[in-house]
Amino acid sequence: MQKRTAFEKIWQAHLVQAESPEHPALLYIDRHLIHEVTSPQAFAELARRGLTVRRPDKTFATLDHSVPSDREKRLAYPDSLAREQVATLRRHCRAFGIPLFDLGSQEQGIVHVMGPELGLTLPGQTLVCGDSHTATHGAFGALAFGIGTSEVAHVLATQCLWQRRPKTMSIDVEGQLPPGVSAKDLILAIIRRLGAAGGRGYVIEYRGSGIRALSMDERMTVCNMSIEAGARAGLVAPDATTFAYLEGRPYAPRGAAWEASLDRWQGIRSDEGASFDAALRIDARELRPMVTFGTSPDQAVAIDEDLPLPALRPEFSSGLAYMRLEPGQPLLGTALDVVFIGSCTNGRLSDLRVAAEILRGRKKAKHLRLLIVPGSESVKRQAEAEGLAEIFLQAGAEWREPSCSMCIAMNGDQIAPGQLALSTSNRNFAGRQGKLGRTILGSPATAAASAISGYVADPRNFLAGATHDGSLAEPRIALSSAPRERYRYRSDHTRALSEADS
Amino acid sequence: MNAREGEGLKILVAGPNFGCGSSREHAVWALAAYGFRAILSPSMGDIFRSNASKNGLLALEIGPAFYAQLCAADPASKISIELEPQRVRLDTTAEYYFSIDGFAKSCLMRGLDQLAYILSFEAAIARYEREAAT
């Protein structure tokens, strides 16, 4: 019996047509999640060809990218395009009988937060969505990846996709994360090791004692950012943690079907001795809180590590120039304008609990804006019931309605030109959170600690039992008082122009 | 291309780095709307080439020697492109064997785009659905 990896087992079980010289493999898709931004053109394509949705029973929709997080603005969209996208999705879901978790429903939220909450993602499934961070669902032992709009049309019409078979990479994480170091820091460290293209062409399987010790939320954080290393997908084989999470969820199997599923799911793991195309080992015990300093998620350092010098690392010079951060010293102490806690990476209840633990009884720095956005209606309800929302409000935070919000800044939540934000999201591209905005990525704990301090702060100093709260008398690196007009940027925001360039 | 003689022509022979800097499919749509079915060039922009293949416009890379022959040829010469043997012929005087992605070739041979090609596997999809555990 050939030894196979978990990925190979899922892949082979979903082949409608094997790969041939004439075409890639044709893969069946068990779950198709859609949202308002990447579905309109797909539905238009179906209409153009006179096609219908083949399996509305395998298709689920929600609104997340362009919906406002401001309670009053929920019905008043930032622009007519967003309004149009939402109306279009509603119309099509009604026409085709696709369940839509709409605004006002109990289940609405960021697609990669609310989907798993409902038990929509199950081990061994193939799952796709027209969104980059679909890999999140791989945490359940599913093969989950993002697709483009034309592929959304393919799946709607046929429930299938052309796919070239990716290679496999094993990332073995051994040991437990130290206190104050989280799953977000783990994945940022992994992406730094691999580089933004190091995972290209691979499906990554995260394995080892360090991964087994993670909760489902933490596994989702890790899988979520697999794309930032260029990987096609990331997955964690299911285990008791997975099954405990899923049991009783609305779309999980029940009764005899549950028992039968458990049997099947036990087999979704890599056989002992199965070979991978590439392998990496990480010692979790060596990890520290991580922050990004540049304009790509792989441009990251430990929070107390010196930033690279552009002279020695020219590949970082444009990122550093855009970010206007001081090379040769750590990010600690760098003053911040905004802290954002939320997104499909870190917008779950456990993330908010971590933030609340640090923010409890404390206030945010006066000059700073703290925006906290729960990932779903369910997260919001629970956070309010547990008193977390009260902690956030007491700390001076804005507590918002579920949406992608400031991660992608499509809904009006954005930072002003030149502002520096520390964000628990997944991308720090130039201008991502607002034109000419600057983004540092970090964990919820780092974000909470930094919000209190008003500058980048080490969350390990805020843990119960820490000898001091880590605050400096004043920030080591103040908000720049230099006129922002001194810097000009290329129209694609990838590089600062010096006066000499103009 | 504005001249009368340009009407009805189907193959465009273009210089190196054709389509560079183009990421919009509109560039391909414009060429296809003019009537071109194929572009032959020693080198083309990646995104342009990918957009071309998505829109049924055959974008082929040819070697520099063959390109030189095409440029030197009488404008009344006949160029023929045969997809199956992957061969371009200049009258009966010269030929060039090109490479093309197997999938792109297969779609073009069938006259199908990627979605239509999937739809042609309806029986296999239905069989999979019948056999797969729910």
Side-chain angles (χ1 to χ4, degrees), chain A residues 216 239-249 258 262:
Chain A
M216 289 313 298
D239 58 11
T241 305
T242 321
F243 308 143
Y245 179 98
L246 284 170
E247 190 164 13
R249 299 226 175 226
W258 172 255
L262 276 184

Side-chain angles (χ1 to χ4, degrees), chain B residues 13-76:
Chain B
V13 177
N17 211 16
F18 186 74
C20 73
S22 157
S23 61
R24 297 269 162 161
E25 288 188 51
H26 301 70
V28 167
W29 298 341
L31 290 163
Y34 184 89
F36 288 119
R37 309 265 327 272
I39 320 272
L40 304 176
S41 161
S43 62
M44 278 180 276
D46 278 341
I47 298 176
F48 173 80
R49 184 145 24 105
S50 152
N51 286 342
S53 80
K54 278 190 210 144
N55 285 276
L57 180 67
L58 189 56
L60 300 176
E61 282 196 348
I62 53 176
F66 188 65
Y67 171 66
Q69 287 178 296
L70 288 176
C71 291
D74 185 324

Side-chain angles (χ1 to χ4, degrees), chain B:
Chain B
M1 278 166 50
N2 285 340
R4 257 289 149 71
E5 307 84 73
E7 281 172 29
L9 296 182
K10 298 204 180 62
I11 300 175
L12 177 66
V13 177
N17 211 16
F18 186 74
C20 73
S22 157
S23 61
R24 297 269 162 161
E25 288 188 51
H26 301 70
V28 167
W29 298 341
L31 290 163
Y34 184 89
F36 288 119
R37 309 265 327 272
I39 320 272
L40 304 176
S41 161
S43 62
M44 278 180 276
D46 278 341
I47 298 176
F48 173 80
R49 184 145 24 105
S50 152
N51 286 342
S53 80
K54 278 190 210 144
N55 285 276
L57 180 67
L58 189 56
L60 300 176
E61 282 196 348
I62 53 176
F66 188 65
Y67 171 66
Q69 287 178 296
L70 288 176
C71 291
D74 185 324
S77 306
K78 188 159 163 244
I79 301 175
S80 67
I81 301 176
E82 296 154 275
L83 203 45
E84 222 285 301
Q86 294 177 219
R87 178 173 57 211
V88 185
R89 278 196 165 127
L90 171 61
D91 286 327
T92 52
T93 57
E95 63 186 21
Y96 181 82
Y97 285 89
F98 58 85
S99 57
I100 183 173
D101 169 69
F103 187 34
K105 177 180 177 180
S106 185
C107 287
L108 285 165
M109 294 283 296
R110 287 168 169 72
L112 298 173
D113 66 6
Q114 291 193 11
L115 174 49
Y117 199 178
I118 302 179
L119 288 165
S120 76
F121 286 103
E122 167 58 39
I125 300 172
R127 184 169 57 244
Y128 179 92
E129 286 177 329
R130 271 195 310 274
E131 291 167 6
T134 40

Side-chain angles (χ1 to χ4, degrees), chain A residues 146-165:
Chain A
I147 57 177
T149 300
S150 50
E151 291 176 304
V152 172
H154 295 183
V155 180
L156 286 173
T158 69
Q159 209 57 35
C160 293
L161 268 183
W162 294 120
Q163 278 294 293
R164 299 205 184 273
R165 184 178 155 143

Side-chain angles (χ1 to χ4, degrees), chain A residues 134-438:
Chain A
T134 307
T136 307
H137 305 263
F140 289 84
L143 178 58
F145 49 93
I147 57 177
T149 300
S150 50
E151 291 176 304
V152 172
H154 295 183
V155 180
L156 286 173
T158 69
Q159 209 57 35
C160 293
L161 268 183
W162 294 120
Q163 278 294 293
R164 299 205 184 273
R165 184 178 155 143
K167 294 176 288 188
T168 53
M169 178 185 295
S170 154
I171 296 188
D172 241 284
V173 181
E174 296 302 331
Q176 296 229 24
L177 294 169
V181 181
S182 68
K184 179 60 165 286
D185 304 302
L186 169 61
I187 189 61
L188 283 174
I190 289 171
I191 293 165
R192 181 195 191 176
R193 276 277 289 274
L194 286 175
R200 192 173 290 164
Y202 290 93
V203 166
I204 297 174
E205 184 181 343
Y206 301 98
R207 320 203 289 160
S209 58
I211 297 298
R212 294 287 135 224
L214 298 180
S215 67
M216 289 313 298
D217 283 3
E218 290 170 316
R219 295 176 190 191
M220 283 189 261
T221 298
V222 170
C223 290
N224 171 280
M225 288 190 74
S226 304
I227 181 112
E228 308 309 334
R232 197 82 189 84
L235 68 92
V236 176
D239 58 11
T241 305
T242 321
F243 308 143
Y245 179 98
L246 284 170
E247 190 164 13
R249 299 226 175 226
Y251 287 86
R254 307 285 183 110
W258 172 255
E259 298 303 324
S261 296
L262 276 184
D263 257 342
R264 221 174 36 248
W265 295 342
Q266 308 281 6
I268 299 163
R269 56 192 55 172
S270 295
D271 298 329
E272 193 69 39
S275 60
F276 291 81
D277 298 303
L280 201 63
R281 285 184 68 90
I282 307 269
D283 185 345
R285 292 161 303 193
E286 291 176 350
L287 295 179
R288 295 176 272 171
M290 299 288 290
V291 280
T292 61
F293 60 83
T295 51
S296 171
D298 66 333
Q299 297 178 349
V301 285
I303 202 159
D304 48 7
E305 180 186 343
D306 289 347
L307 296 193
L309 296 169
L312 298 177
R313 306 295 301 274
E315 69 271 31
F316 295 133
S317 55
S318 71
L320 280 165
Y322 179 86
M323 292 295 287
R324 285 185 273 128
L325 295 171
E326 283 299 315
Q329 54 196 3
L331 268 173
L332 281 174
T334 306
L336 297 164
D337 297 295
V338 179
V339 170
F340 169 61
I341 297 177
S343 86
C344 59
T345 314
N346 286 122
R348 299 179 180 82
L349 188 64
S350 55
D351 300 311
L352 298 183
R353 284 176 177 154
V354 165
E357 209 38 52
I358 293 175
L359 287 166
R360 183 190 304 277
R362 292 175 160 132
K363 291 212 179 300
K364 70 169 181 73
K366 280 206 172 60
H367 70 269
L368 180 145
R369 179 184 184 197
L370 174 58
L371 191 72
I372 304 183
V373 184
S376 70
E377 283 293 327
S378 173
V379 169
K380 178 167 184 280
R381 266 193 311 276
Q382 289 179 82
E384 286 170 356
E386 285 181 20
L388 309 184
E390 191 52 37
I391 293 172
F392 299 146
L393 291 167
Q394 287 296 325
E398 295 166 63
W399 173 241
R400 300 301 206 104
E401 307 295 314
S403 77
C404 299
S405 182
M406 208 179 255
C407 167
I408 194 171
M410 280 181 76
N411 71 341
D413 298 336
Q414 56 191 42
I415 64 183
Q419 284 193 319
L420 183 60
L422 193 143
S423 179
T424 67
S425 52
N426 47 56
R427 285 184 165 164
N428 55 351
F429 302 156
R432 166 98 177 170
Q433 295 190 290
K435 194 167 164 198
L436 298 179
R438 301 175 288 152

